[in-house]
Amino acid sequence: MNFNLNILAYSIYFLITAVIIVKVGWMFCKNGAHYLHDLFVNDNDTVDTLYRMLLLGYYLLNLGYVAVSLGYWPHIDTSTQLIELITERTGFIAIGLALMHYINMAWVQLAKRFFKTN
């Protein structure tokens, strides 16, 4: 019986990235509500609905990307390749999440300026 290292790599990668994505998303949701309350003063219903929708979109985008990216992995022949590939792809996800965070914070600042002046 030939053991397929790709299946093992997919499982490990998906588990690691799912934990990272869910943990980071929850932290963004919990701590980002402050910024939404600052934008929508005295409108708690809008804030609650908006950050739930943003969290759902965040999960769908990132978990969907992880799932689709598995189809583009090369064949893995050794355990060294397995570790290198999982590390590389997990690092890419971490960098992508960090970039998304900074881009979102820039949008929040722009929205804050727009809503505060209007």
Side-chain angles (χ1 to χ4, degrees):
M1 181 172 149
N2 190 5
F3 185 72
N4 189 343
L5 288 177
N6 280 69
I7 301 299
L8 178 62
Y10 298 160
S11 301
I12 293 169
Y13 173 70
F14 198 79
L15 179 65
I16 290 170
T17 55
V19 168
I20 290 170
I21 289 168
V22 169
K23 179 70 175 170
V24 169
W26 182 247
M27 287 172 37
F28 285 166
C29 183
K30 187 174 79 168
N31 297 318
H34 166 75
Y35 294 101
L36 293 176
H37 282 288
D38 196 29
L39 287 174
F40 301 102
V41 179
N42 299 324
D43 197 357
N44 290 338
D45 290 337
T46 300
V47 169
D48 291 342
T49 302
L50 187 57
Y51 79 69
R52 277 193 220 112
M53 288 187 336
L54 288 170
L55 182 62
L56 178 63
Y58 166 86
Y59 286 154
L60 291 173
L61 175 71
N62 288 293
L63 292 173
Y65 172 78
V66 167
V68 168
S69 74
L70 294 178
Y72 298 99
W73 283 34
H75 181 73
I76 301 172
D77 295 316
T78 66
S79 58
T80 302
Q81 286 178 323
L82 180 135
I83 293 169
E84 287 173 351
L85 196 56
I86 290 173
T87 304
E88 175 189 321
R89 300 292 172 109
T90 303
F92 183 76
I93 289 292
I95 290 169
L97 291 176
L99 288 173
M100 274 180 48
H101 170 66
Y102 288 116
I103 290 168
N104 286 338
M105 291 309 298
W107 281 110
V108 166
Q109 290 302 317
L110 288 172
K112 185 187 258 186
R113 289 182 190 160
F114 176 77
F115 285 117
K116 294 293 181 173
T117 58
N118 290 334

